Amino acid sequence: PARKSKTSKDSSSELAVCHMLLAELEAHRCAWPFLTPVNHKAVPGYKKVIKRPMDFSTIKEKLTSNHYLNLETFIADINLVFDNCKKFNEDQSEIGKAGYNMKRFFNKRWTELLQ
Ligand SMILES: Cn1cc(C(=O)NCCCNC(=O)c2ccc(F)cc2)ccc1=O
């Protein structure tokens, strides 16, 4: 039978998965460039180049204040962190390599947990 709209159970278990995934990202040894918003006063060009800054602490704030309506919007913000990183940093820079490692880790974990 066709599924009705999402039950509250589905969204609360999805929310639990988002909290778990975010905790794992924050604990990763390559997370340090992404734990707090980039200080655009200290990083020349960042404010001009990156139109939608995002970082793990901002995502956590949005998650705990029920800003995310569904899993997709949460995953979109996580991917924004990595897309911004790829745009602003050389691939072989320390931060560029950290972003690549974190993206691979994230993709592996959420597919394990949700598919
Ligand atoms: C994602 N991104 C980050 C930076 C950047 O310079 N980010 C701050 C690095 C310094 N921050 C730390 O070292 C740190 C922060 C929190 C913590 F808990 C432990 C260490 C520059 C360009 C860019 O695209």
Side-chain angles (χ1 to χ4, degrees):
R3 276 288 304 266
K4 288 201 310 309
S5 65
K6 244 186 212 322
T7 59
S8 64
K9 180 180 153 311
D10 293 2
S11 50
S12 59
S13 59
E14 278 185 1
L15 202 61
V17 170
C18 292
H19 274 285
M20 193 171 71
L21 272 171
L22 186 57
E24 289 184 15
L25 290 174
E26 289 172 324
H28 196 287
R29 66 178 188 79
C30 293
W32 56 272
F34 315 108
L35 294 173
T36 52
V38 176
N39 175 352
H40 53 78
K41 292 186 182 60
V43 183
Y46 199 82
K47 187 168 169 36
K48 178 85 175 127
V49 170
I50 300 299
K51 302 306 179 195
R52 290 178 59 217
M54 189 48 64
D55 70 284
F56 295 159
S57 71
T58 303
I59 292 172
K60 181 182 273 181
E61 178 49 42
K62 289 173 75 170
L63 194 56
T64 47
S65 58
N66 290 320
H67 180 95
Y68 295 114
L69 298 179
N70 53 42
L71 186 67
E72 287 72 20
T73 51
F74 169 78
I75 289 178
D77 264 359
I78 299 278
N79 283 322
L80 179 57
V81 174
F82 304 138
D83 295 344
N84 288 344
C85 181
K86 187 160 180 53
K87 181 173 187 180
F88 192 79
N89 301 278
E90 296 290 328
D91 288 353
Q92 292 312 315
S93 66
E94 284 312 303
I95 291 177
K97 287 185 291 186
Y100 179 73
N101 285 338
M102 292 304 297
K103 183 176 176 63
R104 276 195 335 189
F105 174 76
F106 177 68
N107 285 339
K108 177 174 171 292
R109 284 301 288 144
W110 88 259
T111 41
E112 280 167 359
L113 289 172
L114 290 158
Q115 287 182 2

